[in-house]
Amino acid sequence: MPKNIEPLIKFNMHEDGANEILIYGIIGDSYWDDVNSRSFFDQMQALEGADVTVRINSYGGSVVAGTAIHTMLALHKGKVTAQIDGYAMSMASVIAMAADEIVISEIGGFMIHSPWSYAAGNADELRKEASVLDGMETSLINAYHAKTGIDKEELALMLKEETWIYAEEAVAKGFANSTIKPVEANACFNKSIESKLENMPEAMAQFIALHEESEEESTDETSDSEEESTDETSESEEETTEETTPPVDPETPVDPVAVERARSKSIMAACRAAGKPHLAENYIDKGYALDIVQDLLTEIKAAQEETPQPQHSTVTPTATSESTDIWSAAHKQAGIKTK
């Protein structure tokens, strides 16, 4: 079952029988996204107007899907409480604005910024895309203004500068009504999102780096402990066996988390070096190995250099047979069937 149509609502999570909806992860209507607007609609209908708490910890996502979810919450007959468990970033922060009451973890926060998209085409097409983004930004500003009362010109500046707002400031500025003590705080950050953030606070960057070092040290300690345990077991077996065998050094266990982190970092670095940072997330999510990504980036660069530029329109460069073979290999590795 695709993850974006799994049930989002958990009934009777508390002793008082309150209903909860989780918005954890990326918001959008594609297969790869975590929170799907149609599934969200079905679950909201199941509530039949009852009060609900929407718990949020999300990097944001699609403006279109997020706008639909914002509208559903705004029109809901029961009381809607938005609880920011971690961070409500980008479109997730807009969704929170539809709630009747917003509470935020004392160590949580918001991140707001101007909408962006990928575009290609001639000057008229790019101007049209810019106009669409301007309209979307106006809608987002209206949502923030309706909840906080902050002047729209000030909000426009906050969006353009990518503003991070933490718990106490969020209450002071009207983005939240009150703070709550966190039940549990897990230091977790999706590295594939890092390349999209322009103004990540230095404190957060240092916190993430320290957590990664702590994880690596913990992994090393676990590996050492496992090796010592294996050695002790081997010695015990030797004492109870008539025929002894030479001890065998145990292999160092592979940490899948460390392997995945290293793959993500190397892919992001390769894409930045090639001037294609926006491709990193897609390559990471699809499970491509670094050598495949490097081949793809090389082929893209070669195709762009070799293909003559049209005089009156922008045409996507035609892939070479070698490039097609590489794409096929990448698809095969990612488990995607090709024709």
Side-chain angles (χ1 to χ4, degrees):
M1 177 187 295
K3 62 180 178 180
N4 59 353
I5 61 173
E6 293 178 354
L8 298 173
I9 285 185
K10 296 184 178 181
F11 291 100
N12 300 323
M13 290 290 291
H14 304 290
E15 293 180 359
D16 58 1
N19 300 306
E20 288 186 340
I21 299 180
L22 301 182
I23 298 183
Y24 272 45
I26 304 300
I27 301 161
D29 293 332
S30 72
Y31 176 88
W32 305 102
D33 297 320
D34 301 294
V35 182
N36 178 289
S37 63
R38 176 52 193 269
S39 176
F40 198 96
F41 173 82
D42 292 339
Q43 303 303 329
M44 287 293 292
Q45 289 292 99
L47 286 172
E48 298 181 346
D51 294 348
V52 61
T53 296
V54 182
R55 301 183 62 171
I56 301 175
N57 184 39
S58 171
Y59 302 107
S62 165
V63 173
V64 176
T67 298
I69 293 173
H70 177 281
T71 302
M72 294 177 212
L73 295 176
L75 297 178
H76 186 62
K77 294 181 180 179
K79 179 181 177 180
V80 176
T81 301
Q83 179 173 311
I84 314 303
D85 291 339
Y87 280 81
M89 300 167 65
S90 190
M91 201 60 202
S93 68
V94 179
I95 290 175
M97 297 299 106
D100 300 303
E101 180 181 4
I102 303 174
V103 296
I104 184 171
S105 165
E106 290 180 344
I107 59 173
F110 292 91
M111 187 277 282
I112 64 176
H113 67 162
S114 297
W116 56 270
S117 68
Y118 299 122
N122 59 34
D124 290 336
E125 291 169 334
L126 294 177
R127 277 190 286 267
K128 185 185 298 182
E129 181 67 15
S131 178
V132 170
L133 291 174
D134 286 340
M136 287 183 173
E137 181 169 311
T138 297
S139 297
L140 303 187
I141 290 174
N142 289 338
Y144 292 125
H145 173 73
K147 188 65 178 179
T148 67
I150 297 175
D151 183 79
K152 292 184 178 181
E153 292 183 0
E154 181 180 349
L155 284 167
L157 183 60
M158 293 172 70
L159 263 64
K160 292 184 186 303
E161 293 181 347
E162 184 187 289
T163 303
W164 295 71
I165 309 165
Y166 300 101
E168 292 185 1
E169 183 184 4
V171 174
K173 289 183 175 294
F175 285 89
N177 299 101
S178 61
T179 61
I180 57 173
K181 292 186 178 297
V183 176
E184 180 180 2
N186 293 319
C188 178
F189 189 80
N190 185 338
K191 297 298 290 184
S192 67
I193 304 296
E194 184 178 0
S195 61
K196 295 182 179 180
L197 304 179
E198 296 179 358
N199 299 323
M200 179 187 294
E202 181 63 25
M204 173 173 279
Q206 292 177 357
F207 177 77
I208 293 168
L210 288 173
H211 174 66
E212 289 181 347
E213 292 176 2
S214 176
E215 277 190 342
E216 291 173 359
E217 291 174 359
S218 176
T219 300
D220 293 340
E221 291 175 359
T222 301
S223 299
D224 293 341
S225 176
E226 290 177 351
E227 289 178 359
E228 291 175 1
S229 176
T230 304
D231 290 340
E232 292 174 359
T233 303
S234 299
E235 292 175 1
S236 176
E237 290 178 351
E238 288 176 0
E239 292 176 357
T240 57
T241 305
E242 293 181 0
E243 295 182 2
T244 60
T245 56
V248 179
D249 293 334
E251 295 183 359
T252 302
V254 177
D255 180 7
V257 175
V259 172
E260 177 60 20
R261 184 186 298 118
R263 184 182 72 89
S264 299
K265 285 184 176 180
S266 60
I267 289 176
M268 284 192 290
C271 289
R272 288 196 193 100
K276 304 290 182 182
H278 58 283
L279 298 178
E281 180 182 359
N282 186 46
Y283 292 156
I284 291 170
D285 289 345
K286 292 185 177 180
Y288 293 175
L290 176 60
D291 57 344
I292 293 296
V293 172
Q294 290 173 330
D295 288 342
L296 290 173
L297 294 172
T298 300
E299 288 299 316
I300 291 172
K301 181 179 180 181
Q304 291 176 337
E305 292 176 350
E306 295 175 3
T307 303
Q309 297 297 320
Q311 296 181 354
H312 302 292
S313 63
T314 302
V315 180
T316 301
T318 303
T320 63
S321 58
E322 185 179 358
S323 175
T324 302
D325 292 340
I326 293 174
W327 277 107
S328 298
H331 288 168
K332 183 177 180 181
Q333 180 184 4
I336 303 174
K337 294 182 179 180
T338 56
K339 295 183 179 179

